[in-house]
Amino acid sequence: PAVALLDSLVLPRVRAAFPPLSRLTGLSRWKLTAPLLPGEEVTIHLELREATRVDFTISAGARVASTGRAFFAEGTRAEPTT
């Protein structure tokens, strides 16, 4: 279930928002804090913190379901936006 959140929700949005980032190399601070129910509407917030690091939050309404950091290969870099 946790990997499904990453594969189906987080990574496709990272790749759409930051196309230079492609190969996931690691995760840290990944926490599952609340379950997501089938059919529940979710919001995914992404923040490019470094050229190869994206912090993410998955929420359902006001409830935070998961947070974490995704790291990508050094050869793929994105420029932080302000």
Side-chain angles (χ1 to χ4, degrees):
V3 173
L5 288 178
L6 186 69
D7 283 341
S8 65
L9 297 177
V10 176
L11 291 180
R13 284 165 180 79
V14 167
R15 291 182 178 123
F18 311 110
L21 300 178
S22 59
R23 190 169 54 88
L24 179 70
T25 59
L27 295 169
S28 73
R29 300 186 185 209
W30 190 11
K31 296 178 185 168
L32 299 172
T33 55
L36 290 174
L37 303 174
E40 194 168 28
E41 188 172 326
V42 299
T43 302
I44 299 164
H45 176 76
L46 303 174
E47 188 172 347
L48 185 67
R49 300 293 293 177
E50 296 173 11
T52 58
R53 184 184 113 198
V54 177
D55 290 358
F56 62 88
T57 303
I58 302 172
S59 302
R63 192 176 79 248
V64 174
S66 181
T67 61
R69 290 182 174 165
F71 295 89
F72 296 85
E74 279 293 326
T76 60
R77 300 175 67 82
E79 295 300 320
T81 57
T82 55

